């Protein structure tokens, strides 16, 4: 039975006139959640977020209230909030809609988080290419200052909060939280070794919470409806609703707000969502959570698009980027595309990632062109294992999880579609026919 279609929380007003303005936001109850939070003690605000079972929407699904509770309360240093709007994971394109169509929802979440954490300075870090989202977001920040939401006294309370928008320079790695902090400090985006985690040693060496745009846009709803009600919208361990980005071979690609019970089949075939594949094509594979999430086979699509549900399949819900591949897709060529992306985006600090990602890319091209033998297939698997063994997820041999992100697709494609890789080797060609490679620079 299909999961019920829910009343959206985050995307509800995306189609309404001037949805991005403070006026429109206030008319529909905006900033009421902040008022409630400001009447509570900061520790009680964190408890409410814990009760809501809100989990981070940036990729790892870490419980938000728990993350907030790691910030030391007695630190003499300033504390910071950094909003992650880098959104560069292939297949993920949800945060930009929040920034463009309802930026005050995120700003309200920022103000609530700042009160809970004792933060007086927040940085909203957006990917360099987000020119229009940045303009909308800056306009909303300006409105918030004028209305006394940001500035010396947040809604009249003796609590100062300043918010600055910063644009990156178009590097995927700057979405990794510690690379983001380096970039904010004006340095090149090289991830830091953890621990220490940013909650303790973050921006300028001070306690810092890094949260995704959608995570913060979810926070006002926790306070507007109450944490129990918010939690109940989801599953036992994942509260609320989530935005899912549907792309690939589907009739209606787009961003959909779903309940945590919605399955991949619901999303791809449901009337309210993707409405199936065009021209009667069949699903061959689905990437469930952005390009780094291990690929799924058609028989696994009855699974809910939720953080815990994907664990037994050795995959992850990630950042909500669901990419549908149909029966005409060459899995070798697809994996090559993914591998090439990570080779291009590796920052080069760790040997397994710096050397392994281009090596994977070259081996995949060799297989796709029919020049490989079975030893190359074993070598591909070994190279991926040297970057990050699989399963389980999370044993990477590198400083940051970009290494895992590069190795997991290789492992999962080989595990689920090995016969197709072998067919390329035995037939000495791509069974789906030659296609031009285009100009792909040194990693091709
Ligand atoms: C290579 C890499 C890229 C990432 N890119 C993003 C991104 O674009 N946006 C994001 O919110 N999180 C991204 N993350 C996850 C962040 O490191 C971090 O976990 C997240 O911002 C925490 O916010 P949340 O707890 O609200 O999810 C990335 C992680 C890695 C390893
Ligand atoms: S895993 Fe890759 S991207 Fe991450 S720090 Fe190491 S070399 Fe850089």
């Amino acid at each position: 039975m299909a999961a019920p279609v829910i009343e959206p929380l985050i995307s509800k007003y995306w189609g309404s006139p001037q949805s991005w303005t403070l006026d429109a936001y206030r008319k529909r109850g905006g900033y009421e959640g902040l008022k409630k939070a400001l009447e509570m003690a900061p520790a009680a605000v964190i408890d409410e977020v814990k009760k809501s079972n809100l989990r981070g929407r940036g990729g790892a699904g870490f419980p938000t209230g728990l993350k907030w509770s790691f910030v030391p309360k007695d630190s003499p240093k300033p504390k910071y909030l950094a909003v992650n709007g880098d959104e560069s994971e292939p297949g993920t394109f949800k945060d930009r809609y929040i920034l463009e169509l309802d930026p005050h929802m995120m700003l309200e979440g920022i103000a609530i988080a700042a009160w809970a954490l004792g933060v007086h300075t927040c940085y909203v870090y957006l990917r360099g290419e987000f020119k229009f989202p940045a303009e909308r977001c800056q306009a909303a920040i300006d409105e918030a200052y004028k209305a006394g939401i940001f500035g010396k006294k947040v809604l009249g309370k003796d609590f100062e909060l300043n918010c600055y928008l910063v644009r990156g320079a178009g590097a995927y790695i700057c979405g990794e939280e510690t690379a983001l902090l380096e970039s904010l400090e004006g340095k090149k985006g090289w991830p830091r070794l953890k621990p220490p985690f940013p909650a303790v040693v973050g921006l300028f060496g001070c306690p810092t919470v890094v949260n995704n745009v959608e995570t913060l846009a979810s926070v006002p709803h926790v306070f507007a409806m109450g944490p129990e009600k918010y939690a109940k919208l989801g599953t036992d361990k994942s509260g609320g609703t989530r935005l899912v980005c549907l792309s690939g071979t589907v009739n209606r690609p787009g961003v959909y707000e779903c309940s945590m019970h919605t399955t991949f089949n619901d999303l791809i075939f449901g009337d309210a969502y993707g409405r199936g594949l065009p021209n009667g094509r069949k699903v061959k594979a689905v990437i469930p959570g952005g390009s780094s999430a291990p690929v799924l086979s058609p028989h696994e699509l009855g699974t809910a698009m939720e953080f815990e549900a994907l664990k037994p399949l050795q995959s992850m819900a990630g950042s909500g980027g669901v990419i549908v591949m149909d029966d005409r897709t060459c899995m070798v060529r697809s994996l090559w595309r993914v591998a090439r992306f990570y080779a291009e985006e590796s920052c080069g600090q760790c040997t397994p990632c710096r050397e392994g990602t281009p090596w994977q890319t070259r081996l995949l091209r060799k297989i796709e062109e029919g020049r490989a033998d079975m030893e190359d297939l074993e070598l591909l698997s070994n190279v991926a294992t040297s970057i990050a063994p699989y399963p389980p997820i999370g044993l990477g041999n590198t400083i940051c999880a970009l290494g895992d992100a590069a190795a997991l697709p290789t492992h999962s494609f080989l595990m689920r579609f090995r016969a197709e890789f072998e067919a390329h080797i035995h037939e000495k060609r791509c069974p789906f026919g030659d296609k031009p490679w285009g100009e792909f620079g040194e990693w091709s």
Side-chain angles (χ1 to χ4, degrees):
M1 202 180 69
V5 176
I6 44 122
E7 168 102 14
L9 299 177
I10 296 174
S11 58
K12 187 168 179 183
Y13 295 98
W14 285 1
S16 75
Q18 303 286 305
S19 60
W20 51 91
T21 60
L22 178 58
D23 198 32
Y25 189 60
R26 277 206 150 137
K27 277 189 184 133
R28 53 183 140 93
Y31 289 106
E32 290 302 316
L34 174 60
K35 276 186 200 158
K36 279 191 200 169
L38 288 173
E39 282 163 14
M40 300 164 77
V45 174
I46 297 180
D47 281 344
E48 297 286 274
V49 176
K50 277 188 184 165
K51 271 189 236 157
S52 75
N53 283 341
L54 173 63
R55 294 174 66 156
R57 309 291 197 243
F62 196 82
T64 306
L66 188 61
K67 184 187 273 192
W68 292 6
S69 70
F70 291 154
V71 173
K73 288 169 197 50
D74 46 3
S75 169
K77 295 180 177 175
K79 296 163 195 161
Y80 295 104
L81 175 63
V83 183
N84 194 339
D86 196 61
E87 190 157 73
S88 308
E89 176 87 358
T92 307
F93 42 88
K94 59 184 178 67
D95 295 339
R96 66 171 306 154
Y97 287 99
I98 297 172
L99 294 161
E100 287 176 13
L101 299 174
D102 215 337
H104 281 285
M105 202 180 274
M106 178 193 74
L107 298 187
E108 185 177 357
I110 287 174
I112 295 172
W115 171 244
L117 298 164
V119 159
H120 300 290
T121 309
C122 167
Y123 294 97
V124 180
Y125 185 95
L126 303 187
R127 67 179 282 175
E129 295 89 338
F130 274 5
K131 184 169 181 294
F132 182 56
E135 284 166 9
R136 278 272 167 89
C137 186
Q138 186 59 59
I141 292 173
D142 294 344
E143 281 184 311
Y145 268 105
K146 270 197 202 130
I149 295 162
F150 290 157
K152 290 268 176 233
K153 285 182 186 285
V154 172
L155 292 182
K157 185 129 187 147
D158 195 14
F159 174 67
E160 180 170 0
L161 174 60
N162 291 298
C163 183
Y164 305 98
L165 190 147
V166 180
R167 277 171 70 190
Y172 169 71
I173 192 59
C174 289
E176 195 281 335
E177 57 187 4
T178 58
L180 184 152
L181 297 178
E182 289 284 302
S183 176
L184 272 178
E185 289 180 9
K187 303 181 203 143
K188 67 179 162 186
W190 270 14
R192 301 174 183 169
L193 203 56
K194 292 184 268 189
F197 290 94
V200 183
V201 182
L203 192 63
F204 305 117
C206 301
T208 305
V209 163
V210 183
N211 270 141
N212 170 260
V213 168
E214 184 191 344
T215 311
L216 288 163
S218 305
V219 169
H221 299 287
V222 171
F223 290 86
M225 67 170 58
E228 291 83 6
K229 202 168 166 197
Y230 183 86
K232 268 200 194 129
L233 290 173
T235 58
D236 283 354
K237 290 190 176 161
S238 300
T241 63
R242 71 178 310 213
L243 297 175
V244 181
C245 320
L246 179 62
S247 66
T249 327
V250 278
N251 283 315
R252 287 210 315 166
V255 178
Y256 296 103
E257 190 167 350
C258 297
S259 105
M260 298 284 177
H261 301 276
T262 310
T263 67
F264 292 96
N265 276 331
D266 294 338
L267 178 77
I268 297 166
F269 296 101
D271 259 2
Y273 310 111
R275 294 193 189 158
L277 281 66
N279 306 320
R281 305 232 60 100
K282 301 259 179 304
V283 178
K284 179 181 200 172
V286 171
I287 292 176
S291 60
S292 52
V295 70
L296 301 181
S297 296
H299 69 273
E300 295 169 310
L301 302 181
T303 310
M305 297 182 295
E306 179 269 328
F307 302 100
E308 296 297 317
L310 281 149
K311 283 187 182 166
L313 304 180
Q314 301 294 346
S315 189
M316 51 199 196
S319 50
V322 177
I323 306 171
V324 180
M325 291 180 266
D326 73 19
D327 46 1
R328 296 169 303 180
T329 310
C330 169
M331 299 310 279
V332 177
R333 175 77 72 141
S334 307
L335 180 57
W336 171 82
R337 255 178 225 295
V338 173
R340 193 189 137 265
F341 172 79
Y342 290 110
E344 196 80 50
E345 300 297 335
S346 165
C347 83
Q349 277 190 97
C350 328
T351 308
C353 175
R354 183 187 62 242
E355 303 300 324
T357 51
W359 199 353
Q360 289 194 130
T361 315
R362 288 194 297 271
L363 283 165
L364 285 160
R365 178 144 181 184
K366 197 174 173 191
I367 298 169
E368 171 68 354
E369 290 183 334
R371 296 183 284 113
D373 55 30
M374 291 302 282
E375 274 182 23
D376 288 313
L377 206 51
E378 287 319 304
L379 185 56
L380 177 63
S381 175
N382 288 344
V383 172
T385 303
S386 304
I387 306 172
Y390 170 82
I393 293 175
L395 285 185
N397 298 317
T398 52
I399 293 174
C400 89
L402 187 142
D404 303 60
L408 295 176
T410 304
H411 288 302
S412 62
F413 273 62
L414 285 178
M415 194 166 99
R416 290 172 170 88
F417 299 97
R418 193 178 174 92
E420 206 169 304
F421 286 74
E422 291 182 359
H424 280 71
I425 291 169
H426 296 318
E427 294 180 30
K428 297 196 181 304
R429 65 181 189 102
C430 172
F432 296 87
D434 286 342
K435 288 180 203 70
W437 288 93
E439 292 297 322
F440 288 116
E442 60 179 309
W443 306 123
S444 59

PDB file of all heavy atoms in Angstrom, residues 158 262 269:
ATOM      1  N   ASP A 158      16.724  40.790  24.709  1.00  0.00           N
ATOM      2  CA  ASP A 158      18.089  41.254  24.897  1.00  0.00           C
ATOM      3  C   ASP A 158      19.063  40.177  24.396  1.00  0.00           C
ATOM      4  O   ASP A 158      19.770  39.535  25.175  1.00  0.00           O
ATOM      5  CB  ASP A 158      18.308  41.548  26.393  1.00  0.00           C
ATOM      6  CG  ASP A 158      19.560  42.369  26.588  1.00  0.00           C
ATOM      7  OD1 ASP A 158      20.073  42.910  25.583  1.00  0.00           O
ATOM      8  OD2 ASP A 158      20.027  42.462  27.742  1.00  0.00           O
ATOM      9  N   THR A 262       7.330   7.233   2.731  1.00  0.00           N
ATOM     10  CA  THR A 262       7.199   7.110   1.271  1.00  0.00           C
ATOM     11  C   THR A 262       8.322   6.231   0.715  1.00  0.00           C
ATOM     12  O   THR A 262       9.496   6.438   1.040  1.00  0.00           O
ATOM     13  CB  THR A 262       7.261   8.513   0.623  1.00  0.00           C
ATOM     14  OG1 THR A 262       6.347   9.353   1.310  1.00  0.00           O
ATOM     15  CG2 THR A 262       6.933   8.474  -0.853  1.00  0.00           C
ATOM     16  N   PHE A 269       6.563   6.081  -9.130  1.00  0.00           N
ATOM     17  CA  PHE A 269       5.348   5.742  -9.886  1.00  0.00           C
ATOM     18  C   PHE A 269       4.089   6.483  -9.411  1.00  0.00           C
ATOM     19  O   PHE A 269       3.087   6.508 -10.133  1.00  0.00           O
ATOM     20  CB  PHE A 269       5.094   4.226  -9.830  1.00  0.00           C
ATOM     21  CG  PHE A 269       6.202   3.447 -10.496  1.00  0.00           C
ATOM     22  CD1 PHE A 269       7.185   2.821  -9.747  1.00  0.00           C
ATOM     23  CD2 PHE A 269       6.270   3.364 -11.880  1.00  0.00           C
ATOM     24  CE1 PHE A 269       8.221   2.123 -10.365  1.00  0.00           C
ATOM     25  CE2 PHE A 269       7.295   2.668 -12.503  1.00  0.00           C
ATOM     26  CZ  PHE A 269       8.276   2.048 -11.733  1.00  0.00           C
TER      27      PHE A 269
END
